[in-house]
Amino acid sequence: MHIVFAASECAPWAKTGGLADVVSALPRTLAKFGHKVSVFIPYYRQVAKAVPDPPVVLQSVTIPFPSYNRFVTILDGGLAEGVQTYFVDCPELFDRESFYATPSGDYPDNAERFGLLSRAVIEASKVIGVPDVFHVHDWQTAMLAVFLRSIYFFDPVFRHVPAVLTIHNAGYQGWFPPRTMEKLLLPWDMFTFDKLEHYDTMNFLKGGIVYADAITTVSRKYAEEIQTAEFGNGLEGILRQRSGDLFGILNGVDYDEWNPATDSHIAAHYSADNLAGKKECRRDLLHAFGFEGIGDDTAVIGVVSRFATQKGFDFIVAVIDKLVEEDIVIVILGNGEEFYERLLGEMANRHPDKVRVQVKFDNVIAHKVEAGSDIFLMPSRYEPGGLNQIYSLKYGTVPVVRATGGLDDTIDEQPNGGGNGFKFWGYDPLAMMDALRRALGTFRNKKEWTEMMKRGMAQDFSWEKPAKEYERIYERVIQNRS
Ligand code: ADP
């Protein structure tokens, strides 16, 4: 079948988080199965830097707005591993410093930017090739599903084309003022609580949930959680209504990119059979964070994360004074909300011998943290799928996580120490501290620890299995609409 992905991120060109990894790896796996797969992403400034002069596929696609048209060019991002990438070029909207926001807040025209992206993919598909199914991701392209069933309702080529929406994070929904309906040429009778209206805003993600043929999210647990008030962020009602079409599919991992036996970003290669290289990676990591003279008995705790409330940094801040009394050092790589950049910077200043923070997005350092740490800490308040804990398993870096969403699905703590990591349930920094103490206790028993590392390294989270599940969902929605 022909599957068209529309997304706001795709690694390696445009990435802020796990969405980009999924939109890069899932299409390649589907292509391996023999499907024709195309991926559309915006031609952001950052993409243009990496791919300066791609060939033009469609010179001008007209996207109408109430009092003007915008003209989009579709560029050829190349065919790699069976996946055809297209860039949607609209310099007025995408040639900017960042993807979504400035430090002072979201771009005010995000509704227009991502509304245009969704329509451009529909329009381009009419010329380049109508797919059997569209696969859209998060609020940024959720409107594609809405457009298909509204302003494109009478278009004969899309009549039988379904859309699947994947929710990578229900905490970001794309809330816009009601007048956005007119801006995107949508009729006001769709601005009701059972369609696009949500607490007097227009909600892109909600629209996608209502109009997509199937909805998926990135772990089984999160699929359950988002149907509750605690995690649904106001969408739990509409998600419960659609529970028959809602599926949790745990994200896979791209082991071409995340494998200590082949990783080109780390100081030495290693595997479960020969862990010697991990020591070298640990030394290299400590050096990269400016630590000297740290012995083997000191546990290196690593964190790689967007700086956002979701990720539970307040838990770390709350217990740090106690935590530094243990024989540990902490290395943190991340960027995002200024508040957390400051807070974590202050924490590092207070404990310079124990805590180091690098505030940036840096893929190479991210790999070094995965390889060189002993423990990977992910105390997320909620975590739809989470990739870093799965990477950690492969790198023999034992995860300590909060038992939520994908973290709960992937990390297993056994009372007799037989699992692959440590987890805590309570929404409580002390519960995290307890889990860390349990991990540090096991760390001191080298034999038990090595066995736990090896159990994690032996686990297989490759994309084949989840990609098969997506395939079944595509088949189901295509059949339902034919
Ligand atoms: P989320 O998508 O919520 O940010 P995930 O764990 O699903 O969380 O995915 C995060 C991805 O982004 C991982 O590939 C991780 O390595 C990467 N990442 C996050 N922050 C950084 C950073 N500061 N530098 C490099 N990579 C990062």
Side-chain angles (χ1 to χ4, degrees), residues 11-12 15 20-29 32 81 251-260 262-263 367 387 390-391 394-395 460-464 466:
K15 168 167 169 175
D21 291 348
V22 174
V23 174
S24 166
L26 174 59
R28 276 184 279 134
T29 314
K32 256 195 252 163
E81 297 180 60
N251 278 338
V253 164
D254 182 359
Y255 288 125
D256 291 341
E257 165 82 5
W258 297 95
N259 181 351
T262 53
D263 191 329
H367 282 250
L387 288 168
I390 314 182
Y391 302 154
K394 189 72 182 170
Y395 283 77
D460 180 9
F461 290 95
S462 51
W463 265 105
E464 273 68 22

Side-chain angles (χ1 to χ4, degrees), residues 24-43:
S24 166
L26 174 59
R28 276 184 279 134
T29 314
L30 291 165
K32 256 195 252 163
F33 294 167
H35 299 298
K36 178 176 172 184
V37 194
S38 318
V39 177
F40 287 79
I41 60 163
Y43 194 54

Side-chain angles (χ1 to χ4, degrees), residues 268 270 275-285 296 371-372:
Y270 62 94
L275 286 168
K278 188 163 171 74
K279 271 202 168 169
E280 184 56 37
C281 292
R282 189 177 184 272
R283 251 195 306 276
D284 178 54
L285 171 68
D296 287 352

